[in-house]
Amino acid sequence: HESKSMEILKISGILVIICQIGAKHFCHAFHFRKLHSQKYISSTAGPSFHRNQRGITLLSSTPGKNPNDEETPEQREARMSLVRQLQKSYYSNSTTVSPPSPGSTLLQNVPLWRVQWTELPGYQNVLNVHEGHYTDMFQRTIAGSGESPRYFGHIYLPKGSENLGNPEYELKEGTKAPLIGTLMQITDAQLEDDGRLTVVVQALERFKVVEVEREQPYSVATVEILPDEELVDYHTQRANDFLQTLDFRQSEDVSGAALAACVAECLEYHGYEYRKVNIKEAQEGVSPLSNYDSEFLASVKREAVEDSI
């Protein structure tokens, strides 16, 4: 009962946000059942109602009549402060993507940003997130991460959100959907006054979708990290050499151990290979390629790598 009460409070908070921001941004997103028997009811002072061919009454706003247009800068700042407080409360219980456990190559519950362009490991970008389902996704990712890496997945999808939910692009073998994507991390983000998000991201590693947990309103999946072949060869040789020192063979899955060691090493070195960029730097202009962090400690921990081997 307590959890249901919390959900009701969160939903109530979202409704307050909608009312505060105003009809100008939201009225076209909602359909209302028939309110009046007349075909058209108009008003010169505010919203107007009309029926479409299905008999559903639609609410549309009158241009220039949004009451928020007349607020002072101080009033707008106070309203947006309230909006941010409500959003912070709503997303307070969000979860994040945890790094793989020792010996594993899988990341679970990875939210997927499926858009009509690609990202390659080693690059960084500034995203302008404006679609509702993706602003929600990024808000949850940011709120749930704390100081841990804020991971999400990037996968190419022709026509972007237009094909979300299209069976032809369902995330499984045999469809048109690519299953190889790029693991991304968020280094900084800023919520704009109009509800958009500006997000600074860096592309880390390739991955393959192995299990889809849901497709809507945005995709969430379990993915497997795909390390570079050179790194896999190196750790495979190390694993074989280690087994030769034993009187018995501990494991036949040498390739699996090598892959796990590769993933552990990749994650350990991200702090050095990717210097985090903040919003201010991004606004001033940054290189499309990620830079090394010269201040990162030279003594990178090796425990996770050795445990995987």
Side-chain angles (χ1 to χ4, degrees):
H1 292 293
E2 183 177 352
S3 61
K4 288 183 178 179
S5 299
M6 289 300 297
E7 289 299 321
I8 292 173
L9 287 173
K10 289 180 178 181
I11 293 172
S12 300
I14 292 301
L15 292 176
V16 172
I17 292 173
I18 292 173
C19 294
Q20 289 283 346
I21 293 178
K24 179 178 179 181
H25 301 293
F26 290 95
C27 60
H28 293 291
F30 296 97
H31 288 201
F32 294 87
R33 292 189 177 275
K34 183 177 180 182
L35 300 180
H36 302 279
S37 59
Q38 297 92 333
K39 185 174 182 179
Y40 294 98
I41 299 178
S42 62
S43 171
T44 58
S48 62
F49 298 87
H50 65 88
R51 293 188 301 168
N52 65 7
Q53 293 178 350
R54 297 182 180 180
I56 299 176
T57 302
L58 306 178
L59 172 64
S60 60
S61 62
T62 303
K65 295 299 182 180
N66 181 9
N68 292 335
D69 290 342
E70 300 177 359
E71 64 186 359
T72 65
E74 292 77 15
Q75 290 172 328
R76 180 178 181 81
E77 179 59 33
R79 176 167 60 84
M80 292 310 301
S81 176
L82 174 61
V83 169
R84 294 188 182 98
Q85 291 177 32
L86 291 170
Q87 288 177 325
K88 184 177 180 179
S89 175
Y90 179 77
Y91 292 113
S92 59
N93 294 325
S94 299
T95 58
T96 186
V97 180
S98 299
S101 57
S104 175
T105 61
L106 301 179
L107 286 172
Q108 297 180 326
N109 300 313
V110 178
L112 301 181
W113 162 258
R114 301 179 67 191
V115 287
Q116 57 270 38
W117 72 88
T118 58
E119 292 283 2
L120 297 176
Y123 280 74
Q124 56 191 10
N125 201 352
V126 181
L127 305 179
N128 173 30
V129 186
H130 59 87
E131 294 179 307
H133 51 288
Y134 282 134
T135 56
D136 177 62
M137 183 192 87
F138 279 103
Q139 289 271 46
R140 292 180 184 277
T141 302
I142 294 166
S145 301
E147 296 299 323
S148 62
R150 297 179 286 189
Y151 292 137
F152 70 97
H154 180 115
I155 293 187
Y156 172 69
L157 177 64
K159 297 185 178 180
S161 294
E162 184 178 331
N163 275 322
L164 282 177
N166 184 342
E168 293 185 358
Y169 291 94
E170 188 176 349
L171 281 170
K172 66 180 183 180
E173 299 285 352
T175 69
K176 297 180 180 180
L179 298 180
I180 304 297
T182 304
L183 180 66
M184 312 285 291
Q185 72 174 0
I186 300 170
T187 64
D188 201 6
Q190 178 175 289
L191 179 64
E192 308 297 344
D193 287 349
D194 59 4
R196 293 179 299 110
L197 277 173
T198 300
V199 187
V200 184
V201 299
Q202 295 174 326
L204 306 176
E205 309 289 341
R206 296 181 307 135
F207 67 74
K208 180 177 181 180
V209 174
V210 296
E211 184 179 358
V212 178
E213 297 166 28
R214 76 165 191 237
E215 292 269 3
Q216 296 284 358
Y218 55 85
S219 302
V220 177
T222 296
V223 306
E224 182 173 31
I225 302 298
L226 302 177
D228 293 338
E229 290 184 6
E230 295 87 347
L231 192 60
V232 174
D233 292 341
Y234 167 73
H235 280 292
T236 299
Q237 185 61 49
R238 286 196 65 196
N240 280 315
D241 292 344
F242 175 71
L243 289 176
Q244 297 301 320
T245 66
L246 303 177
D247 293 333
F248 60 93
R249 201 168 177 82
Q250 283 189 327
S251 173
E252 297 293 336
D253 189 13
V254 175
S255 61
L259 283 172
C262 291
V263 171
E265 180 169 325
C266 289
L267 297 180
E268 288 290 339
Y269 278 100
H270 283 166
Y272 172 65
E273 295 175 328
Y274 296 88
R275 184 183 68 82
K276 289 182 170 56
V277 177
N278 58 39
I279 288 288
K280 183 178 180 180
E281 286 182 276
Q283 291 173 339
E284 295 174 352
V286 295
S287 167
L289 292 173
S290 297
N291 297 309
Y292 290 104
D293 188 350
S294 59
E295 297 180 0
F296 189 78
L297 294 177
S299 56
V300 178
K301 294 181 180 180
R302 301 285 300 179
E303 288 86 350
V305 179
E306 300 300 334
D307 287 345
S308 296
I309 287 290

